Amino acid sequence: MTGLPDFSVTASHVIFLAFLVGIPLYGFAKGVKVYECFVTGAKEGFEVAVMIIPYLVAILVVVGMFRASGAMDIIGSVLPHAFESLGLTPDVIGLALMRPLSGGASLGMFGEIIARYGPDSYQTRLGGVITGSTETTLYVLAVYFGAVSVRRTRYALHAGLLADAAGICASVAVCLYFFR
Amino acid sequence: MLNIVWIGLLVGSVAIAVLTGNVKEVVGSVTDSASSAVKLALGFVGVMALWLGIMKIAEESGLIQRFTRVIAPMMRLLFPKIPENHPALGSMTMNLVANAFGLNNAATPLGIRAMKDLDDLNTKKGTATDEMCMFLAINTSSVQLVPAGAIALLAAGGSADPTAIVLPALVATLFSTLVGIVSAKLLGRSRAFAEQPDGGPGHDGTA
């Protein structure tokens, strides 16, 4: 075991507190009326949350339907087993495909992979690296563009999905190097 | 693209549900997902208010501007069209820092704040700018230094070394971020994604 998890938690906490306490402290030192300023900014919180609702509904409904349709089981069963020597079993490929759509669903699938192959298996580590190097692209797009009412997203999704695909390919290569 | 993905998931799900006999589950999921989207958004209100309040202090005190000046040379490579002292450079940097350290609760409001700053430079509201697409490409490529969620699941699953994935994931995520940046740069130059599809300057106006 390395000391890394403890360190990372501590570093995260330090950064968190640096933001949360450091910014108001800096403002106070600069003569800003911190309390009044805070509530003025915070007022926008509700407005932003309401603004992203239509975008979130649009994305989460179709992703929910896709999950409920059993599509992932079909994809898992028809996928070629040709890539298994790379650790890409059908359920790992399923995880990679689900990742841009839904963070919750892909973490659930990662949990199933851990249960099936064991917590220190090659497939599990590959799944973990894929999870760590990709992002829930559709969700991030819905929230960020929703907040500024952008409907025409141009090439943002293309670039995001290309990055996800690159993350998956890199995960395969990196796991072969580190874990084989 | 989003239109195609959306209609594809919508129609595809129903078609697959008919094949797999999951029609009932699909129908049931619709109401659930719609309500949970609202719950999710409203659940944001607290952290959103907190961080937008903190960011307001950062703005008033001149901290964002200071931050912007320090980080500007690097960010300007990625966002050449943003004016030198624009707060968007500072708020985007804060979002990326929060993301890198896995502070998801803070990263999302900071990112939204950055999107608002970017939207101030947007001459065509409702349409994404090149800068927004670049910012999103970086964000959706995952810039997290330590994949905390996956590590937590590995630890819970009884892994002897849950942090073994940290270095490989870092290498993979750096590569994916690089590809995200390069794709956004290249796609931004493509005529297919010209910023003003209904006839801005320099275009033929056939919308």
Side-chain angles (χ1 to χ4, degrees):
Chain A
M1 297 284 274
T2 67
L4 213 48
D6 296 323
F7 168 76
S8 71
V9 165
T10 314
S12 291
H13 288 168
V14 169
I15 301 282
F16 184 87
L17 290 175
F19 274 34
L20 187 72
V21 182
I23 293 172
L25 202 60
Y26 180 86
F28 188 75
K30 286 274 166 181
V32 174
K33 290 184 172 131
V34 282
Y35 178 78
E36 291 162 36
C37 191
F38 176 87
V39 287
T40 309
K43 217 161 50 178
E44 282 176 47
F46 189 74
E47 183 197 323
V48 167
V50 171
M51 269 169 71
I52 61 176
I53 287 177
Y55 299 82
L56 272 184
V57 170
I59 295 297
L60 293 189
V61 165
V62 292
V63 169
M65 286 172 70
F66 187 70
R67 286 177 63 186
S69 72
M72 289 324 289
D73 300 335
I74 294 193
I75 290 173
S77 63
V78 300
L79 278 173
H81 291 248
F83 299 117
E84 273 188 25
S85 58
L86 299 173
L88 284 171
T89 52
D91 37 13
V92 176
I93 298 178
L95 165 72
L97 294 177
M98 186 50 98
R99 178 69 179 156
L101 299 179
S102 164
S106 59
L107 273 185
M109 291 168 79
F110 181 49
E112 283 166 26
I113 290 171
I114 295 176
R116 181 177 303 173
Y117 298 98
D120 292 310
S121 65
Y122 187 78
Q123 286 86 348
T124 296
R125 288 184 165 172
L126 177 57
V129 173
I130 289 174
T131 306
S133 62
T134 52
E135 191 45 84
T136 51
T137 299
L138 270 185
Y139 170 80
V140 174
L141 237 60
V143 170
Y144 280 27
F145 278 139
V148 289
S149 300
V150 163
R151 296 176 302 278
R152 286 175 296 275
T153 58
R154 295 174 68 216
Y155 54 87
L157 182 60
H158 305 67
L161 291 179
L162 280 171
D164 285 333
I168 292 162
C169 295
S171 299
V172 172
V174 165
C175 281
L176 283 176
Y177 178 78
F178 277 96
F179 301 129
R180 271 277 155 90
Chain B
M1 177 74 165
L2 207 43
N3 289 313
I4 296 166
V5 169
W6 198 73
I7 198 75
L9 285 172
L10 200 61
V11 175
S13 303
V14 175
I16 291 166
V18 170
L19 289 174
T20 54
N22 286 334
V23 176
K24 205 175 122 194
E25 285 79 357
V26 168
V27 171
S29 79
V30 173
T31 319
D32 287 348
S33 312
S35 330
S36 70
V38 176
K39 268 183 225 142
L40 192 64
L42 293 182
F44 262 146
V45 173
V47 275
M48 199 78 82
L50 172 66
W51 288 104
L52 290 177
I54 297 286
M55 282 300 278
K56 190 78 183 167
I57 298 175
E59 185 192 336
E60 287 287 295
S61 63
L63 188 62
I64 295 186
Q65 287 76 358
R66 254 185 104 150
F67 217 65
T68 303
R69 242 168 280 141
V70 173
I71 211 75
M74 195 196 85
M75 293 294 273
R76 282 181 68 75
L77 290 175
L78 294 172
F79 303 96
K81 282 195 278 179
I82 297 179
E84 204 164 334
N85 286 323
H86 197 274
L89 293 174
S91 50
M92 283 193 293
T93 307
M94 289 192 167
N95 160 269
L96 294 178
V97 169
N99 256 321
F101 287 92
L103 308 175
N104 295 326
N105 277 343
T108 305
L110 295 178
I112 285 170
R113 171 65 215 223
M115 288 298 279
K116 283 176 176 289
D117 288 339
L118 288 174
D119 203 41
D120 286 342
L121 295 166
N122 191 356
T123 52
K124 201 167 160 62
K125 304 291 180 205
T127 301
T129 62
D130 286 325
E131 286 69 32
M132 289 177 178
C133 290
M134 174 61 80
F135 180 56
L136 262 291
I138 296 170
N139 249 287
T140 59
S141 73
S142 167
V143 283
Q144 203 176 346
L145 297 176
V146 175
I151 291 174
L153 275 180
L154 284 174
S159 169
D161 187 5
T163 56
I165 64 166
V166 170
L167 186 57
L170 185 61
V171 175
T173 203
L174 287 176
F175 181 71
S176 81
T177 304
L178 188 69
V179 168
I181 290 171
V182 172
S183 327
K185 277 279 179 216
L186 292 179
L187 290 167
R189 288 190 196 148
S190 157
R191 270 192 71 90
F193 297 108
E195 203 166 334
Q196 290 164 315
D198 50 7
H203 297 286
D204 54 13
T206 51

